[in-house]
Amino acid sequence: MASVQNVWGIEIGQTALKALRCKLDGDEVTATAFDFIEYPKILSQPEAVAEELVADALQQFLEHNESALSEKVCISVPGQSGLAKFFKPPPVEVKKIADIVRYEARQQIPFDLADVVWDYQMMPGSMVEQGYAMESEVGLFAMKREQAFRQLAPFDEADIEVDVVQLAPLSLYNMVAFDRLQDRIDSEVFDPDSPPPSSVVLSIGTDSSDLIVTNGFRIWQRSMPIGGNHFTRQLTKDLKLTFAKAEHLKRNAREAPDPKLIFQTMRPVFNDLVTEVQRSIGFFRSIDKNAEISELLLTGNTVKMPGLAAYLGKNLGFEVQVLDRFNRLSGDDVMSIPSFRDNAPTFSVCYGLCLQGLGLSQIHASLVPREILTQRLVRAKKPWTLAGLAALLMGM
């Protein structure tokens, strides 16, 4: 069995493999190692062979971190790869929640349940009295079975045993809930008629972005079809540049000969991103009339793009914070390393995965296929079974 002293959180991104290892020192979560391996090409580029690039990155990761073969490993999958639904069951005995969830799964999941890996759990703040769930919310999480095995395939080929599979937006929620909202969750009684202020978390990826609205007790999430590559493509189109030159120019816009031209060229994408965020927040407010939004938290390496955070804050009207440091994560041996500091906004998902592996997350459901868990259970019990048979034979 994998050791639980250290937990790896690994995210296979479109531009890089990101990994963080954490352990629990008393009540303190400590980062003990990390890795950031950029691919030679972005996985979504037409000429890129994604399977080979990911396999090479995992091989490099193991060369740097051989201990991952014997430690607990949690991985994320993109939000659009799966489904996360939240619903309020009627007041019912807690032991009957499973039956209600199974019925709800048949209604919400647009596939035969035999073709799906799914899990569920009650959300924090659910009111349970004398064995009855009076005011509760249940999260239902699912992914097609073939998609789950596809996500696990590169790890299987690298002989890395994966213990937890989680949707990236839910890992972001776990990170925010622990790192910024834990005191509220521990000390407050959730009142759906007067909920605490919500935070909007915007994780800007390469080809898409995840938006999460949470007050710690409840979560709403949506994936948006816009990311950092859209800025790069706008530069290639309008300035007639190669993709590589446009990417370099995007990352170093302030050092360009004409920075104003660069920002003017990218302005349509800035506007599209603001429009998508406004549309998402508007829809959220339409289904939760009592919600009050207090801040916008940005994560993902695209947020390092000059002017992006300021532009979003100005046009959305929220206080904006970039998640480039973590309030409750210690480990100066890792966090003082320049390459970690430079890429800190992209480790939020990895941090959330580590929290789940350490048993400190609010969402603990996992999408590892059940047949894999059964195989591991049988394999773990086999030595004891053989030892028992040997003892029986000796006794006879």
Side-chain angles (χ1 to χ4, degrees):
M1 291 293 290
S3 167
V4 296
Q5 290 185 333
N6 283 290
V7 174
W8 280 101
I10 302 176
E11 180 185 17
I12 302 291
Q14 285 291 303
T15 59
L17 180 151
K18 294 149 285 190
L20 180 67
R21 185 176 71 170
C22 295
K23 69 176 182 179
L24 200 57
D25 284 330
D27 294 331
E28 195 170 77
V29 179
T30 303
T32 56
F34 82 102
D35 216 336
F36 183 83
I37 302 169
E38 283 197 269
Y39 315 128
K41 297 176 182 177
I42 296 173
L43 297 186
S44 57
Q45 286 183 275
E47 65 274 17
V49 182
E51 293 80 5
E52 293 180 4
L53 293 172
V54 171
D56 289 345
L58 278 172
Q59 190 59 44
Q60 291 180 55
F61 167 73
L62 286 177
E63 289 172 3
H64 307 158
N65 309 282
E66 190 177 349
S67 65
L69 293 172
S70 59
E71 293 173 332
K72 193 169 188 177
V73 173
C74 307
I75 70 167
S76 68
V77 296
Q80 60 268 31
S81 298
L83 172 144
K85 294 283 187 180
F86 301 89
F87 67 94
K88 296 177 180 177
V92 68
E93 286 183 271
V94 173
K95 63 183 180 182
K96 293 184 178 178
I97 289 286
D99 295 330
I100 294 175
V101 171
R102 196 169 291 108
Y103 171 81
E104 195 71 23
R106 293 192 186 99
Q107 308 305 310
Q108 298 282 357
I109 299 173
F111 306 103
D112 189 318
L113 292 188
D115 299 329
V116 172
V117 181
W118 63 284
D119 201 354
Y120 74 95
Q121 70 168 78
M122 293 180 67
M123 296 299 292
S126 297
M127 188 182 298
V128 178
E129 294 182 359
Q130 298 180 348
Y132 281 81
M134 304 300 295
E135 181 71 42
S136 62
E137 183 157 301
V138 175
L140 173 65
F141 317 109
M143 183 166 54
K144 289 196 73 175
R145 190 172 298 278
E146 63 183 45
Q147 176 72 6
F149 279 102
R150 192 180 304 125
Q151 297 287 345
L152 288 167
F155 294 92
D156 291 338
E157 292 172 8
D159 291 327
I160 298 174
E161 188 172 282
V162 174
D163 298 273
V164 171
V165 174
Q166 185 57 275
L167 298 174
L170 301 184
S171 291
L172 283 172
Y173 162 74
N174 280 336
M175 182 276 296
V176 172
F178 177 83
D179 203 71
R180 307 178 76 93
L181 304 174
Q182 190 69 50
D183 290 342
R184 172 191 296 176
I185 296 170
D186 289 342
S187 61
E188 293 185 18
V189 175
F190 177 64
D191 181 359
D193 296 323
S194 181
S198 294
S199 300
V200 176
V201 186
L202 178 60
S203 176
I204 307 176
T206 303
D207 294 312
S208 62
S209 300
D210 289 319
L211 184 140
I212 302 160
V213 186
T214 182
N215 53 29
F217 300 99
R218 299 292 181 264
I219 175 175
W220 181 85
Q221 61 96 21
R222 176 185 177 237
S223 291
M224 303 184 301
I226 186 168
N229 263 1
H230 291 74
F231 293 95
T232 309
R233 293 190 190 110
Q234 189 73 28
L235 291 173
T236 62
K237 175 185 171 184
D238 288 6
L239 301 183
K240 310 301 184 208
L241 300 172
T242 65
F243 190 90
K245 286 183 178 179
E247 182 70 17
H248 177 78
L249 200 58
K250 179 187 77 175
R251 297 185 184 191
N252 303 278
R254 288 204 173 100
E255 287 74 44
D258 189 353
K260 187 176 180 181
L261 173 64
I262 305 304
F263 289 113
Q264 285 178 339
T265 303
M266 294 191 296
R267 182 174 290 275
V269 186
F270 277 100
N271 292 337
D272 289 345
L273 180 59
V274 167
T275 300
E276 283 288 339
V277 174
Q278 286 174 330
R279 183 183 295 123
S280 298
I281 293 174
F283 180 77
F284 168 74
R285 281 176 163 155
S286 73
I287 60 176
D288 191 342
K289 306 291 187 183
N290 297 321
E292 175 192 339
I293 294 174
S294 61
E295 62 181 354
L296 174 66
L297 307 176
L298 296 179
T299 185
N301 261 357
T302 302
V303 304
K304 296 190 297 183
M305 194 168 65
L308 178 59
Y311 187 87
L312 289 173
K314 179 181 177 181
N315 286 275
L316 294 172
F318 299 126
E319 177 189 349
V320 176
Q321 296 184 45
V322 176
L323 293 175
D324 55 1
R325 63 188 64 195
F326 304 114
N327 297 332
R328 301 185 64 190
L329 180 64
S330 62
D332 289 341
D333 290 345
V334 167
M335 293 190 291
S336 63
I337 298 173
S339 57
F340 182 86
R341 291 204 309 267
D342 291 345
N343 295 289
T346 200
F347 282 100
S348 296
V349 169
C350 297
Y351 180 18
L353 290 168
C354 287
L355 292 171
Q356 182 165 354
L358 292 168
L360 299 173
S361 61
Q362 294 298 328
I363 291 182
H364 47 75
S366 173
L367 296 177
V368 177
R370 192 160 300 279
E371 52 264 48
I372 291 179
L373 298 176
T374 302
Q375 288 171 6
R376 291 177 186 170
L377 186 63
V378 171
R379 189 176 67 218
K381 288 185 175 180
K382 191 176 291 183
W384 297 100
T385 304
L386 292 174
L389 286 173
L392 181 61
L393 288 171
M394 290 177 65
M396 290 174 65

